[in-house]
Amino acid sequence: MVAVDRTVSGLRGRMRDWRTAGETVGLVPTMGALHEGHMTLVRAARAEYDRVVVSIFVNPAQFGPREDFDSYPRQEARDLAMLAEAGVESAFMPGVAEMYPDGFSTAVTVSGLTECLCGRGRPVHFRGVATVVTKLLLQCLPDAAFFGEKDFQQLQVIRRLAGDLDIPVAIRGVATVRETDGVALSSRNAYLTPDQRACAPAMIAALRHVAARIGEGAPASEACAEGRGMLEQAGFDPVDYLEVREEESLALVEGQPAPSRSARAFAAAFLGETRLIDNWPL
Ligand code: PAF
């Protein structure tokens, strides 16, 4: 049985009880529509911490005006059943008015990391993510919070804000979970038609191609142009970006990556109305 808190005071009371009993806590922030990728985060948290809290909140502040906030999948009963099955003790499921009461007027912006990649075409997205994650970290104050590497830019933004704001929570990245054909798990995969789903593996193929060509000595810009061609040929339209960037600073790499700095290939592209993103380490 998962205990559900819908208010910050309820969550804080539960945290106080656990802390008094000397227990450690891992937080897994989600927007629900849970899948195996989320459950991998839950298992990672369970393996290290006495208690796990999963937050489920579809955060309006991170959706642009023409994005899918209204249609974003919401399946509370199914999510809670999955959490119960995984032995999760607590779900934090606040409503919009609890998170953003009347008069709410504060935003967290992380400059430098948020203007590129997914921030370029979605100007409000990372401000919304940074604001809600800051709130969730401070509301719960867990020992650690777990995020998937599929949203690698988001993970780096959250690492930066936690460091900059001295929030005493370890930010943990967990490797992307993939289908057998390599497609990264995402709640948005549910939007794909069978034909679109058949095209989706081209994204990881293009990213792996970029990594392989750079490994052979090709400049990143050339490898990315080839990878972009692969995406377009597979039916992705438009391709939002296919770029190589340094992991920590997200600085663009056009030639060969500096050996001392880890880099990744990042892609975002549309199949019909559905925007897929993925990344692959070099
Ligand atoms: O990755 C997500 O599901 C969301 O962006 C997050 C981190 C839960 C914030 O709403």
Side-chain angles (χ1 to χ4, degrees):
M1 176 74 177
V2 186
V4 176
D5 291 304
R6 296 190 188 268
T7 62
V8 176
S9 64
L11 173 70
R12 289 212 167 120
R14 191 175 306 284
M15 291 296 299
R16 207 168 31 246
D17 292 346
W18 288 346
R19 293 308 197 187
T20 306
E23 291 176 316
T24 59
V25 181
L27 170 69
V28 180
T30 80
M31 296 205 300
L34 301 180
H35 53 60
E36 193 46 34
H38 299 111
M39 300 320 284
T40 303
L41 302 181
V42 166
R43 283 192 290 275
R46 278 211 70 83
E48 281 184 62
Y49 295 95
D50 299 323
R51 302 284 189 167
V52 176
V53 180
V54 175
S55 66
I56 297 179
F57 178 63
V58 184
N59 173 33
Q62 69 188 75
F63 289 78
R66 283 176 305 282
E67 293 182 15
D68 56 344
F69 174 69
D70 289 331
S71 60
Y72 196 85
R74 289 161 174 88
Q75 39 197 46
E76 193 171 310
R78 184 176 169 275
D79 288 348
L80 286 174
M82 286 173 76
L83 295 180
E85 170 98 25
V88 169
E89 292 81 6
S90 150
F92 178 47
M93 301 173 71
V96 173
E98 181 71 7
M99 292 299 267
Y100 301 114
D102 277 351
F104 186 90
S105 42
T106 300
V108 177
T109 56
V110 179
S111 52
L113 296 175
T114 55
E115 294 83 4
C116 62
L117 299 173
C118 288
R120 211 181 290 135
R122 305 175 77 198
V124 300
H125 175 68
F126 285 115
R127 191 179 60 205
V129 170
T131 303
V132 84
V133 171
T134 301
K135 284 174 67 76
L136 289 166
L137 296 178
L138 294 174
Q139 287 162 346
C140 184
L141 279 179
D143 295 283
F146 291 75
F147 299 89
E149 284 188 349
K150 181 179 150 290
D151 297 303
F152 195 84
Q153 184 177 17
Q154 167 175 283
L155 173 62
Q156 297 303 68
V157 167
I158 293 166
R159 284 189 168 131
R160 180 65 57 84
L161 75 83
D164 286 354
L165 299 177
D166 301 314
I167 300 176
V169 176
I171 303 301
R172 303 284 305 278
V174 176
T176 303
V177 181
R178 299 182 180 280
E179 306 271 10
T180 47
D181 61 4
V183 172
L185 294 193
S186 163
S187 305
R188 291 195 168 102
N189 292 352
Y191 300 154
L192 298 174
T193 65
D195 283 352
Q196 290 167 345
R197 179 60 187 78
C199 300
M203 182 167 274
I204 185 61
L207 289 165
R208 286 182 174 139
H209 175 83
V210 169
R213 293 283 290 122
I214 291 174
E216 290 162 13
S221 56
E222 189 180 308
C224 288
E226 292 169 9
R228 179 179 271 267
M230 289 170 69
L231 288 176
E232 286 166 352
Q233 189 148 16
F236 280 91
D237 182 26
V239 176
D240 202 346
Y241 58 75
L242 176 52
E243 293 175 354
V244 171
R245 290 186 174 261
E246 289 181 1
E247 286 191 349
E248 200 177 324
S249 64
L250 298 183
L252 185 66
V253 177
E254 292 187 282
Q256 277 281 309
S260 58
R261 292 200 281 270
S262 313
R264 258 173 207 256
F266 295 86
F270 284 83
L271 283 172
E273 298 290 299
T274 307
R275 183 175 182 276
L276 298 185
I277 64 169
D278 202 353
N279 63 83
W280 188 252
L282 264 50

